[in-house]
Amino acid sequence: MEPESRIRVALERNPYDVIIGSGQLARVGDALSALQVRAGTRILVVSNPDVADHYAAQCLSSLEAAGLKPVLLTIDAGEEQKTLDTLRIILDAAQHNGLERTSLMLALGGGVVGDMTGFAAACWLRGIRVIQVPTTLLAMVDASIGGKTGVNHPCGKNLIGAFHQPSLVMIDPLTLRTLPAREFRAGMAEVIKYGVIGDPELFERLEQAEDLSDPGRMTPELLQTILERSAQAKAAVVAADEREGGRRAILNYGHTFGHVVETLTGYGTWLHGEAVAIGMATVGQLAVNKGLWTDSDQQRQLTLIQKAGLPTAWPSLNIDKVLDTLRSDKKVRHGQLRFVLPDAIGSVLISDQIRDDDVRQCLTSQH
Amino acid sequence: MEPESRIRVALERNPYDVIIGSGQLARVGDALSALQVRAGTRILVVSNPDVADHYAAQCLSSLEAAGLKPVLLTIDAGEEQKTLDTLRIILDAAQHNGLERTSLMLALGGGVVGDMTGFAAACWLRGIRVIQVPTTLLAMVDASIGGKTGVNHPCGKNLIGAFHQPSLVMIDPLTLRTLPAREFRAGMAEVIKYGVIGDPELFERLEQAEDLSDPGRMTPELLQTILERSAQAKAAVVAADEREGGRRAILNYGHTFGHVVETLTGYGTWLHGEAVAIGMATVGQLAVNKGLWTDSDQQRQLTLIQKAGLPTAWPSLNIDKVLDTLRSDKKVRHGQLRFVLPDAIGSVLISDQIRDDDVRQCLTSQH
């Protein structure tokens, strides 16, 4: 049996573990038994068709072997299906399968499955437990940890949702084998983010790696390191600031411009991670313009992003629409824009000193 | 100026006040200023057309006088509109009016408006603050306090929702003047409930009152006493058990059978409070059958319920459907029915010892 890593998300009220290791998917039933989930408990396993084809059987038999009663629901889970309508499908399945307060939901899939299953679990009977079993790199290093759940509003991403912490996160790197290459690379954007915002060692390790765009060319050790350090970073920030009042906001590095890209190009043009890559490149340039960090650090960031096969160029977008969209972002306070800006590799600050003109200048100079 | 009562809901994380007094509606703006809500803050005031006709102007001008920026949304708010579709209307209005994380929602109306506005506030940007300004007796003594929010699923009441505590509850008895008599009486069911589950003095005070079915025939002092003691009872139970793990369950006295009546007769046949009245009468008989309380106490309860103009007779319903519905109730644990049963005036116990046969016998003997 492969060794496993356990990372504790040390929340005051509902602490939980992130378990990382090859082959963990086959042990999810045992892990739930270890959490005192009692035999006979109903579990609504939510997945999307592709992931279910590869991994549902293994997951369900592990749960059944532990005496649990899983039932599988597959949903279409692109970003454009992340809506109240799909939420309703999960809630209907919860009703149909008789989920009680002691029942569980389990999200087996990427970020969209995780966000919607988490939100459904938050709403069903005013909250039942949820287990996150992410199968994409993006969900492993980011979305599955921290309890942010939700769906999109036609006018913006993740405007509707809840904070609902999982009871357990199970990460099995073997599931990355079947992940499309483009999605793997998109996940690397968040890994690079952890380097920039607080982990210069991780950043350097990534710089030294031969390849960052294909898991088949990465050593299992590098992959395990990436997953562990990312989970540690996320867990530490979440534990320090569960509801994003302060420190948790640094996790939004690259996301403010990223959301603009996703919103204005329409969901589906860019993957979330690709939009974040563009957002990091852009906000890095903004930091350079403001004299906060150096050209050479921005260059190191751009090189790393490109090495992971990710885009860095700001797309052609109407600047007024960009500013409108920035202002409709849920991180806005009393109409004042806020940005997470890098000031070194491994360090960021939060600023509400960025004016519209700074944004205009930065974005127009990118073309 | 009339005197006001303040009752503290002493939660660990988000304590708040319930303010009770004639004329409070005109002081809601001042109360928000006292809570440090800053000038310029946007407030989505959600109400239904009838209530808005009577009270929206007063509420909005009080908010505006305090420098706040209210905007009114009226929704149809019968129990049959308490759905995800209506939730979506509120969320769309939140988006349309640019509600940020520091913005507020304010529910001005009965339980349905309060539940849906509270749930919308819980979901919008993963949670913004909500103020409850109940205008029905039922909402004043029950729904507005405690943070239970939600909507109905086609297969059951309140199956979808969140725990989301208000930042303030403002109760103005003057708004009861325009409440339809039937709705006032329905609210009295919850008041009687507080007597049975823990406040024998309130129960006796109600027994001594000349009339319980018409607020016009009740003294302002009796009305104030009813509102205060009910709010105190609710606040105490909620503070002891925010999420209904244990003690809060006693608030469900009469509600288990009540939900069955509401579900199987279709929303709209009986008002919630009327169904609770039937539920209390029925579960009281069950307690007598099980030898837990006396015939004479059950008789006192029936007399009081009838004095308030409320029904007590169990309707004609298919017994198998009743049992199915009981089992689909969200209070069920591992398939075992749970009931809150009275054992004295002012005392209840929670039992999972009630078998299907007990229910069958109790319900069939009612005809």
Side-chain angles (χ1 to χ4, degrees), chain B residues 37 61 167 197 269 343 349:
Chain B
V37 174
S61 32
S167 300
I197 68 174
T269 307
D343 59 353
L349 51 83

Side-chain angles (χ1 to χ4, degrees), chain A residues 16-246:
Chain A
Y16 57 94
D17 283 343
V18 180
I19 304 179
I20 304 170
S22 294
Q24 284 301 325
L25 184 59
R27 298 208 282 275
V28 64
D30 292 343
L32 291 184
S33 298
L35 283 179
Q36 316 296 332
V37 174
R38 95 188 216 181
T41 297
R42 286 174 200 218
I43 305 186
L44 181 65
V45 176
V46 182
S47 193
N48 61 316
D50 279 356
V51 171
D53 273 355
H54 287 110
Y55 304 111
Q58 199 180 356
C59 179
L60 294 176
S61 32
S62 169
L63 295 171
E64 280 159 2
L68 305 168
K69 282 181 161 172
V71 55
L72 177 67
L73 170 73
T74 59
I75 54 172
D76 288 330
E79 190 74 32
E80 68 283 4
Q81 277 100 25
K82 195 174 153 184
T83 63
L84 283 175
D85 289 324
T86 311
L87 177 75
R88 192 188 301 247
I89 292 172
I90 303 175
L91 294 172
D92 284 346
Q95 196 285 324
H96 184 72
N97 290 289
L99 261 67
E100 306 173 357
R101 286 191 178 174
T102 52
S103 304
L104 274 73
M105 293 194 195
L106 185 151
L108 176 68
V112 174
V113 163
D115 280 7
M116 289 204 294
T117 308
F119 188 32
C123 295
W124 183 246
L125 309 182
R126 299 200 186 94
I128 66 171
R129 287 174 295 175
V130 65
I131 309 302
Q132 295 285 352
V133 184
T135 61
T136 67
L137 181 58
L138 184 63
M140 288 175 181
V141 301
D142 181 24
S144 65
I145 306 167
K148 278 172 130 185
T149 71
V151 298
N152 299 328
H153 184 274
C155 299
K157 282 194 59 163
N158 295 321
L159 292 180
I160 303 165
F163 282 93
H164 188 58
Q165 299 293 340
S167 300
L168 176 70
V169 182
M170 271 291 219
I171 295 177
D172 186 342
L174 295 182
T175 61
L176 294 174
R177 288 180 183 170
T178 52
L179 185 68
R182 185 180 169 194
E183 287 196 46
F184 180 84
R185 294 194 297 265
M188 284 304 301
E190 300 281 352
V191 176
I192 293 168
K193 180 190 80 175
Y194 291 120
V196 177
I197 68 174
D199 192 343
E201 263 181 63
L202 173 63
F203 193 94
E204 282 162 28
R205 184 82 191 263
L206 297 172
E207 284 181 313
Q208 289 149 16
E210 287 188 18
D211 192 293
L212 289 180
S213 66
D214 178 353
R217 296 183 178 189
M218 293 163 71
T219 62
E221 291 72 27
L222 176 61
L223 207 48
Q224 182 81 11
T225 299
I226 282 173
L227 294 173
E228 283 176 18
R229 296 198 79 123
S230 298
Q232 276 159 359
K234 181 81 187 249
V237 174
V238 167
D241 176 23
E242 185 173 355
R243 289 200 168 224
E244 210 168 67

Side-chain angles (χ1 to χ4, degrees), chain A residues 298-312:
Chain A
Q298 165 72 347
Q299 204 50 55
R300 282 175 71 191
Q301 175 178 251
L302 291 174
T303 303
L304 200 52
I305 294 172
Q306 286 159 0
K307 181 176 171 184
L310 288 163
T312 55

Side-chain angles (χ1 to χ4, degrees), chain B residues 27-203:
Chain B
R27 299 208 281 277
V28 64
D30 292 342
L32 292 184
S33 298
L35 283 180
Q36 316 296 331
V37 174
R38 102 188 209 177
T41 297
R42 284 174 201 218
I43 305 187
L44 181 65
V45 176
V46 182
S47 192
N48 62 316
D50 279 355
V51 171
D53 274 355
H54 287 109
Y55 304 110
Q58 200 180 355
C59 179
L60 293 176
S61 32
S62 168
L63 295 170
E64 279 160 3
L68 305 167
K69 281 181 160 173
V71 55
L72 177 68
L73 170 72
T74 58
I75 55 172
D76 288 329
E79 191 73 34
E80 68 282 6
Q81 277 100 26
K82 194 173 153 184
T83 62
L84 283 175
D85 289 324
T86 310
L87 177 76
R88 192 188 302 246
I89 292 172
I90 304 175
L91 294 171
D92 285 346
Q95 195 285 325
H96 183 73
N97 290 290
L99 262 65
E100 306 174 357
R101 287 190 178 176
T102 53
S103 304
L104 275 72
M105 293 194 196
L106 185 152
L108 175 68
V112 174
V113 163
D115 279 8
M116 291 204 293
T117 307
F119 189 32
C123 296
W124 183 247
L125 309 182
R126 300 199 185 92
I128 66 171
R129 288 174 294 174
V130 65
I131 310 301
Q132 295 285 352
V133 184
T135 61
T136 66
L137 182 59
L138 184 63
M140 288 176 182
V141 301
D142 181 23
S144 65
I145 307 166
K148 279 173 129 184
T149 71
V151 297
N152 299 327
H153 185 275
C155 299
K157 281 195 60 160
N158 295 320
L159 292 180
I160 303 165
F163 282 93
H164 189 58
Q165 298 293 340
S167 300
L168 176 70
V169 182
M170 272 290 220
I171 295 177
D172 186 343
L174 294 182
T175 61
L176 293 174
R177 289 180 182 171
T178 52
L179 185 67
R182 185 180 170 194
E183 288 196 45
F184 180 84
R185 294 195 297 265
M188 283 305 300
E190 301 281 351
V191 176
I192 293 168
K193 180 190 81 175
Y194 290 120
V196 177
I197 68 174
D199 192 341
E201 262 182 63
L202 173 63
F203 192 94

Side-chain angles (χ1 to χ4, degrees), chain A residues 335-353:
Chain A
Q336 183 58 59
L337 300 180
R338 303 180 84 212
F339 284 95
V340 182
L341 297 164
D343 59 354
I345 298 289
S347 170
V348 287
L349 52 84
I350 296 171
S351 170
D352 53 8
Q353 302 298 309

